[in-house]
Amino acid sequence: MSLGERSFFVPFSTLANLFKKPETIAYPKEDLDVHGVKGPSLKYRGMHANDHDVCIGCGNCSTVCPTAAINMISTGVNDAELTGANAQRPTVDYGRCCFCAFCVDACPSGSLTMTREYIFTRASEKESPLEELIWKCDEFTLEPGSRWSENPGWQCHGEETWLDLERSHMEHMTPEKRVGSFIEFVLGFTKEEALREAARCIECGICTKTCPANMGIPEYIRGIYDNDLEESVRVMYETNPLPGICGRICTHKCESVCAISHKGEPVAIRWLKRYAIDALGPDKVAEIASSAKEMFSPSGKKVAIIGAGPAGLSAAYYLSTMGHGVTVFERMPKAGGTMRYGIPAYRLPDESIDNDVRAMAEMGVDFRMKTRVGTDVSFESLRKDYDAVLVAVGFPMGRSTRIENHDHPDTGLAILLLNQIRLGEEIPVHENIVIIGGGNVAMDIARSMARLQKVKYGKVSIILTCLEGEGEMPADNEEIEESIEEGIIINPGWAPKAIELDDDGKIKGLKCARCLRVFDENRRFNPKIDEDDLTFYPGTQVVEAIGQASDYTFLSEDDLAAMGHERGRFKVSDGMDSGLKGVFIAGDIVHGPDVIHAVADGHKAARSIDTLFNQG
Amino acid sequence: MEMDNLYLANLREEKQNMWGGLVNYFRKRSMWMLYYCTGCGAIELPPTMTSRYDMERLGMGPMATPRQADLLLITGYLSVKTLKRVIWSYEQMQEPKYVVGFGSCPINGGIYWDAYPVINHLEAFIPVDMSIAGCMPRPQAIIDAFEKLMGEIQEGKAIGYKRYEKHYDWYKKNQDAVLGRTEAVLKPWNDPFASNPSVDELMALEKGESNV
Amino acid sequence: MSDNILARAGKMHGDKIECREKYKAQLEIKTHRDYVLNLLTWLKSERYVHLSFMSCIDWIEENEFELVWHVFSYESKNHILVKTRLNREKPWMHTAINIWPHVQPYEQEIHEMFGVYFPGNPDLSGLFLHNWLDLPPLRKDFIAKDYSLALYTTDALGLTPPFDDIDIVEITAEESRDGE
């Protein structure tokens, strides 16, 4: 093709480009607009934002950061007063951050997010180069807060997270199988399952703060993960001498605040503890438990402990590790208190109590069984013969609703019935039973009765009713779920009015009225009942499980008054000492029925008794 | 003391010169940059320079040699070996000269904060007039930084080169601490072959050892 | 192996080598240090003419270095890894520079990064590192983080630590957009 063949006007065709929209994005006058909203991708990983109301200060972002850009700084709040959170918040150093969003993907509460804001430039400002360097490092370190949060980018909504949100599988007996016997139905972790479960822990330590005994939970889970079970058990014994028992029946307040629980299921802290104890074996555990004693020489002081429940045992263990002589007085034939004579065997088999108690007996704690203080030995003589006395008698008696016909022979108190079941005595079991109460004791008696019914009649027919509405019941969720699985019908939100009798004087059933609320605005017990909304639960036996009471007959009126007794409980100082010199109080009678509180109380009492001896 | 303040001194100088503002205006509108593509940040420069974000509309363009450039871009991490070349290049540039540090690495080490050949704070070795957060910063962030830098130049505040002049000893000390080491940092290495033995010598040595 | 190199290598070198087929077209041959050059020469004569790369691995727990030559044939399209182990205390290896001249910078680099000595290599000077006096940095007993902390931080440079008493205040939403 020669030049002459083309039109003279060909070069002018480029003028058409004058009217085309330019490809250039003239930032900052305009910006990229391909995602519906101006700016980068809708999932862009720009500067961080952190919702301080949601953030729990666990520090996982700081742990996973590959560039060590995230530091936790204190918020100035007293850490111990916060529940379910640590008093620290992350700061991000943008002189380190590589915007990988590991922190967001690993944030258990979901508070940390990234935004579509990414422009952050700083001109030099200082005159001296050193000042400039320090100022710049400071300037590029930001505490992510609500800033930029109106322009959200990358967020992690659960499924993308790095955290393992589901609990490791653990073998349970099926409801059909377990309801037929009192054999323990939670079978515990295998080694692989325990390792997988231990790997879910992010070691934030919020659980430690929440646990009444302040157990070193992240440390012992780390021990399990490292397959160093001896270290794990040693950590447990630092704060809790009954790990085998607590590994089965603890009320696990730790799990309710577990960081993982914000997005998924909490780490099974209780079952991990059980795994460590069971896998190591009772001999090894007893050896580790008694190894703490070698650090102290005998002091020659003597302590009497009334009651071999969790508080008494805990105090006995720590006092004997401190070198003091300990004598425990117990009215029942074996140690364990409510744990042995209240909690059913399907939750806590006798062997695990025996194993934990064995460690103490080996350390030289003197157990005086079948010795009732007040009848066999007087409280005054204990005060005289011993340098200190710890009252840890617990709540061995039941309380009644005192409604119409509550004293009919076919009614019963839960705690006493449980006691009889545990002692192997036969108790009356009817075909249709109504249970009043919504706590763990109610669940225990309901499930125990269900087992007895299953054996006797081949079916379960139990109605459980309580004042608290659905979701407010004080029992553990697991207990409620398992009860329903076992065939127990739960009707929450009803107040018992009367036990109705038929013409022959036999129980016909329980009349209830709708309970609108249990606590008033001041969180005081003050139920409000709708007398018009009535219902009737048929049954020929009624069991009351609304609370427990203690037995202080061994104490004189003056002693009780001096010890600060008020409405069935004691008011004590932090050191667990009562108004009487040398007399300490611990356990359920201080903090209400809870095994881990009792263990913590026992430890505290032991420390203050030790302080008393060191002063004197 | 007031005379020591570089900012005030600079502003005063510009006030005395009636043409100062005008000069600054032209300076900021014709910046030639030397992009020192040491790190990953270089990948964001092509879209910034070419037609997509078209840096030339700001009056900026690439320059071939340090002696003709006004602007030194440190695009990412700096290893010790490149740091030496950066300092040479910077010192060759004609005043006024400006340095822009791209991304996290020149600020506090970035993702290479614990790597053995990479420095942490560029500010300790040469003065940085503008820092951009990001890993790496997008072209928008880079343009934002350039526009800010232009504002600083107009106001006579971008005086990193004067700081370098005045505090040269301080910078030099840091440069020497990293570049001119005479002692090992952690543990000196005793090269067992420092004498450059031949194969025969080594074989004989090994034979002797095995005999012993 | 399309060219049946495995069988031929076994036949040729017998118990001096240890062969294993790793993948469909990848073969691993382990041998003693003093036999490597013989093997490489033989492989080159068997049309494995291309030395793609040479690398070194620090097996610190076994107190050994492992040298790997990656050899490739354009005809059979096979990839052979020739491996040998050296004592970590005094690691040295015959240079392969007479078989493939371009192995020189690979050996130079391994000498710099691991401290393996190659007698016969004409230039074992520093290639990448600037003024290096410490342990060769790719040895596993060299802790890079410690080195970085001891040299590059403000502390190490003799400057005051920057994070001493800086309180970080959150900037409110009004002041956002970085002070524009």
Side-chain angles (χ1 to χ4, degrees):
Chain A
M1 186 167 60
S2 69
L3 277 173
E5 282 175 29
R6 301 198 65 179
S7 161
F8 174 76
F9 294 103
V10 162
F12 293 97
S13 65
T14 55
L15 289 174
N17 288 331
L18 277 176
F19 306 101
K20 254 170 73 180
K21 192 180 177 297
E23 289 297 321
T24 303
I25 296 169
Y27 186 85
K29 284 193 206 92
E30 53 179 336
D31 200 355
L32 193 68
D33 189 5
V34 292
H35 301 288
V37 193
K38 265 189 188 173
S41 152
L42 296 176
K43 287 189 170 182
Y44 190 73
R45 297 168 182 185
M47 313 296 273
H48 298 76
N50 189 17
D51 188 343
H52 279 208
D53 297 334
V54 179
C55 182
I56 53 170
C58 62
N60 205 32
C61 43
S62 174
T63 313
V64 300
C65 182
T67 59
I70 302 184
N71 287 306
M72 304 302 291
I73 58 156
S74 167
T75 55
V77 182
N78 185 359
D79 193 50
E81 283 172 10
L82 277 178
T83 48
N86 287 336
Q88 51 175 12
R89 293 292 179 266
T91 59
V92 183
D93 180 358
Y94 289 101
R96 288 273 177 82
C97 179
C98 66
F99 299 88
C100 60
F102 284 6
C103 46
V104 176
D105 292 353
C107 177
S109 67
S111 69
L112 197 64
T113 55
M114 285 183 135
T115 63
R116 295 169 75 234
E117 299 288 341
Y118 56 90
I119 296 176
F120 191 84
T121 52
R122 282 287 179 270
S124 92
E125 236 174 49
K126 302 289 175 198
E127 191 263 334
S128 129
L130 180 59
E131 264 178 46
E132 166 75 17
L133 200 165
I134 293 167
W135 172 81
K136 197 160 273 178
C137 286
D138 177 26
E139 193 69 8
F140 278 90
T141 305
L142 302 177
E143 180 176 358
S146 56
R147 187 183 187 188
W148 293 310
S149 60
E150 71 278 5
N151 191 6
W154 175 250
Q155 287 170 321
C156 184
H157 294 295
E159 63 270 16
E160 306 97 340
T161 183
W162 287 11
L163 304 165
D164 193 354
L165 297 180
E166 278 176 29
R167 274 192 179 182
S168 174
H169 168 81
M170 182 170 61
E171 206 67 52
H172 283 65
M173 274 189 212
T174 58
E176 297 76 40
K177 203 172 160 197
R178 73 189 185 222
V179 79
S181 77
F182 277 88
I183 297 170
E184 186 175 32
F185 65 91
V186 176
L187 301 178
F189 282 126
T190 62
K191 187 177 174 189
E192 288 72 28
E193 288 162 355
L195 284 180
R196 201 186 145 218
E197 187 64 28
R200 295 178 62 216
C201 176
I202 59 167
E203 302 184 337
C204 60
I206 293 174
C207 41
T208 299
K209 220 170 59 179
T210 310
C211 176
N214 299 116
M215 291 192 74
I217 294 165
E219 289 81 18
Y220 72 67
I221 292 184
R222 163 63 64 177
I224 293 168
Y225 183 72
D226 292 343
N227 207 12
D228 186 0
L229 294 178
E230 290 180 29
E231 169 67 14
S232 180
V233 171
R234 203 191 53 71
V235 171
M236 289 176 198
Y237 266 94
E238 279 173 10
T239 45
N240 184 346
L242 304 172
I245 295 170
C246 287
R248 287 176 163 81
I249 55 150
C250 182
T251 43
H252 57 75
K253 299 181 183 346
C254 47
E255 291 182 24
S256 63
V257 297
C258 178
I260 312 289
S261 70
H262 291 264
K263 274 184 181 168
E265 295 170 306
V267 177
I269 298 170
R270 181 170 63 167
W271 301 138
L272 280 173
K273 182 156 59 212
R274 172 182 162 166
Y275 162 79
I277 295 290
D278 288 0
L280 201 58
D283 297 332
K284 201 84 192 159
V285 171
E287 190 188 315
I288 295 169
S290 48
S291 67
K293 196 181 167 92
E294 289 156 13
M295 294 192 289
F296 295 90
S297 53
S299 67
K301 300 275 185 183
K302 289 192 299 177
V303 183
I305 295 174
I306 309 173
L313 290 175
S314 164
Y317 173 79
Y318 288 112
L319 284 168
S320 81
T321 58
M322 293 163 187
H324 308 304
V326 182
T327 312
V328 181
F329 296 90
E330 169 64 48
R331 66 189 174 97
M332 301 301 278
K334 279 180 166 180
T338 308
M339 300 184 299
R340 189 187 293 272
Y341 297 108
I343 291 169
Y346 63 85
R347 276 176 67 197
L348 182 62
D350 282 350
E351 305 86 71
S352 46
I353 308 175
D354 292 340
N355 289 339
D356 281 358
V357 173
R358 190 185 119 186
M360 286 163 215
E362 280 181 15
M363 287 173 68
V365 175
D366 181 13
F367 285 99
R368 303 256 175 95
M369 293 305 160
K370 293 185 180 168
T371 312
R372 186 187 274 268
V373 176
T375 52
D376 301 322
V377 53
S378 77
F379 184 63
E380 279 68 35
S381 69
L382 288 183
R383 285 193 67 194
K384 219 179 316 154
D385 296 346
Y386 292 89
D387 298 296
V389 179
L390 177 69
V391 181
V393 292
F395 287 145
M397 319 285 277
R399 288 221 318 252
S400 169
T401 52
R402 312 229 169 252
I403 55 174
E404 201 181 317
N405 295 323
H406 74 271
D407 45 3
H408 189 277
D410 283 342
T411 61
L413 293 176
I415 193 81
L416 301 181
L417 291 172
L418 285 168
N419 198 336
Q420 284 173 306
I421 294 171
R422 234 13 215 313
L423 286 168
E425 293 169 15
E426 196 159 324
I427 59 163
V429 180
H430 289 216
E431 208 170 340
N432 297 303
I433 303 173
V434 179
I435 290 169
I436 306 169
N440 280 329
V441 174
M443 297 298 155
D444 283 347
I445 188 64
R447 296 174 71 184
S448 296
M449 290 302 230
R451 281 160 173 75
L452 295 172
Q453 273 188 335
K454 185 84 179 173
V455 172
K456 198 165 171 184
Y457 303 105
K459 69 179 180 67
V460 176
S461 168
I462 292 177
I463 295 172
L464 186 144
T465 176
C466 63
L467 280 178
E468 295 87 357
E470 206 156 340
E472 295 172 353
M473 287 169 68
D476 293 348
N477 282 337
E478 297 160 20
E479 286 281 317
I480 296 170
E481 280 163 25
E482 285 165 5
S483 303
I484 293 170
E485 281 172 8
E486 286 169 12
I488 293 158
I489 297 158
I490 297 181
N491 290 312
W494 294 95
K497 298 303 293 177
I499 296 169
E500 295 198 348
L501 307 183
D502 63 7
D503 300 341
D504 306 336
K506 294 232 168 91
I507 291 179
K508 194 164 73 171
L510 182 73
K511 193 170 81 176
C512 293
R514 172 63 75 186
C515 177
L516 298 174
R517 59 132 212 253
V518 184
F519 297 98
D520 62 12
E521 295 76 25
N522 303 326
R523 302 291 301 156
R524 290 181 73 90
F525 183 73
N526 184 9
K528 191 179 171 188
I529 289 156
D530 183 359
E531 302 287 350
D532 299 332
D533 189 0
L534 293 174
T535 190
F536 179 77
Y537 294 121
T540 53
Q541 187 182 14
V542 174
V543 179
E544 293 172 288
I546 59 148
Q548 288 127 267
S550 195
D551 175 12
Y552 301 126
T553 47
F554 65 93
L555 293 167
S556 69
E557 287 291 325
D558 295 346
D559 285 346
L560 273 177
M563 286 159 74
H565 180 251
E566 194 182 303
R567 298 218 317 234
R569 289 201 190 174
F570 288 92
K571 290 243 177 334
V572 296
S573 68
D574 286 345
M576 296 289 152
D577 48 338
S578 71
L580 284 176
K581 193 177 183 320
V583 178
F584 293 78
I585 312 174
D588 292 1
I589 55 175
V590 178
H591 279 117
D594 179 30
V595 61
I596 190 70
H597 260 112
V599 167
D601 279 1
H603 194 179
K604 266 188 227 162
R607 272 183 302 213
S608 48
I609 290 171
D610 188 53
T611 318
L612 178 80
F613 290 166
N614 288 341
Q615 283 166 359
Chain B
M1 279 310 288
E2 211 174 80
M3 285 302 287
D4 282 350
N5 191 316
L6 283 176
Y7 285 96
L8 289 178
N10 199 49
L11 285 171
R12 188 168 299 122
E13 184 187 305
E14 257 144 39
K15 287 237 174 72
Q16 283 165 354
N17 181 356
M18 58 177 292
W19 298 105
L22 196 60
V23 168
N24 277 346
Y25 178 81
F26 289 121
R27 269 181 190 163
K28 78 169 187 183
R29 279 297 165 194
S30 66
M31 278 205 281
W32 297 100
M33 55 180 194
L34 181 71
Y35 39 93
Y36 206 92
C37 295
T38 55
C40 10
I43 206 69
E44 298 291 349
L45 274 175
T48 318
M49 280 159 52
T50 55
S51 53
R52 188 57 162 169
Y53 290 95
D54 196 12
M55 193 193 270
E56 273 189 40
R57 69 199 158 84
L58 305 175
M60 302 179 75
M63 182 42 70
T65 73
R67 280 161 206 270
Q68 292 157 292
D70 305 308
L71 188 58
L72 179 61
L73 307 186
I74 309 294
T75 54
Y77 67 82
L78 268 185
S79 71
V80 176
K81 199 160 183 172
T82 45
L83 173 69
K84 191 170 184 176
R85 277 75 186 168
V86 164
I87 293 167
W88 284 348
S89 308
Y90 181 72
E91 288 181 352
Q92 282 183 55
M93 284 165 69
Q94 309 267 353
E95 289 180 1
K97 53 190 174 184
Y98 314 102
V99 180
V100 179
F102 277 41
S104 310
C105 296
I107 303 168
N108 195 12
I111 200 167
Y112 301 101
W113 68 284
D114 57 353
Y116 62 89
V118 181
I119 58 151
N120 283 2
H121 308 279
L122 178 60
E123 182 63 48
F125 306 101
I126 54 170
V128 183
D129 292 288
M130 181 63 67
S131 295
I132 316 170
C135 185
M136 287 313 294
R138 285 161 72 97
Q140 284 94 326
I142 297 172
I143 290 174
D144 183 85
F146 286 159
E147 295 226 317
K148 255 189 196 172
L149 181 64
M150 288 175 185
E152 298 275 309
I153 293 170
Q154 174 72 68
E155 290 171 30
K157 280 171 156 186
I159 46 160
Y161 61 94
K162 294 200 174 174
R163 189 161 71 219
Y164 190 67
E165 228 168 64
K166 185 174 174 193
H167 298 280
Y168 182 71
D169 293 345
W170 188 84
Y171 287 110
K172 182 73 180 153
K173 183 173 73 73
N174 295 335
Q175 290 166 5
D176 285 348
V178 168
L179 296 171
R181 277 175 293 113
T182 50
E183 283 173 13
V185 177
L186 295 177
K187 194 166 81 179
W189 186 46
N190 296 320
D191 188 353
F193 308 105
S195 59
N196 284 335
S198 68
V199 179
D200 296 337
E201 283 166 6
L202 287 166
M203 289 290 226
L205 202 68
E206 267 181 20
K207 216 169 231 169
E209 272 174 11
S210 63
N211 286 343
V212 171
Chain C
M1 289 285 156
S2 51
D3 56 353
N4 205 17
I5 189 77
L6 188 71
R8 284 190 288 137
K11 201 170 159 191
M12 184 72 189
H13 301 283
D15 59 354
K16 291 217 173 57
I17 61 167
E18 197 181 308
C19 305
R20 183 166 77 90
E21 205 176 315
K22 284 188 82 168
Y23 302 104
K24 206 177 156 198
Q26 200 177 75
L27 189 75
E28 180 191 82
I29 305 179
K30 288 182 178 172
T31 183
H32 184 258
R33 179 189 66 196
D34 296 337
Y35 200 71
V36 169
L37 292 190
N38 295 348
L39 189 65
L40 290 176
T41 316
W42 176 76
L43 281 172
K44 196 176 181 187
S45 71
E46 291 289 331
R47 312 298 297 146
Y48 282 80
V49 292
H50 179 52
L51 178 82
S52 331
F53 188 57
M54 182 182 169
S55 57
C56 182
I57 303 147
D58 185 358
W59 299 100
I60 188 163
E61 279 171 17
E62 293 155 42
N63 199 27
E64 277 176 343
F65 283 121
E66 184 168 47
L67 288 178
V68 186
W69 289 261
H70 299 252
V71 194
F72 184 74
S73 162
Y74 289 100
E75 278 148 34
S76 65
K77 307 275 191 285
N78 286 337
H79 177 188
I80 295 182
L81 310 172
V82 178
K83 295 186 176 179
T84 189
R85 294 279 182 125
L86 309 174
N87 177 8
R88 207 168 168 280
E89 302 302 324
K90 282 197 169 182
W92 68 272
M93 175 67 216
H94 309 274
T95 174
I97 204 161
N98 295 325
I99 310 170
W100 286 288
H102 73 267
V103 84
Q104 190 272 329
Y106 295 150
E107 292 180 350
Q108 193 181 354
E109 184 188 355
I110 289 170
H111 175 258
E112 182 174 30
M113 295 294 173
F114 292 91
V116 178
Y117 177 57
F118 292 90
N121 191 313
D123 183 9
L124 289 177
S125 58
L127 194 57
F128 297 106
L129 301 171
H130 175 87
N131 196 13
W132 193 264
L133 303 161
D134 282 65
L135 281 182
L138 291 193
R139 284 190 177 214
K140 291 264 190 287
D141 48 357
F142 173 80
I143 312 296
K145 188 177 170 183
D146 290 355
Y147 184 90
S148 177
L149 293 180
L151 185 58
Y152 302 123
T153 56
T154 44
D155 268 345
L157 290 172
L159 316 172
T160 44
F163 297 114
D164 255 7
D165 44 17
I166 291 169
D167 39 35
I168 297 140
V169 189
E170 194 206 338
I171 306 166
T172 53
E174 287 78 38
E175 298 172 58
S176 93
R177 301 290 298 182
D178 53 41
E180 279 171 20

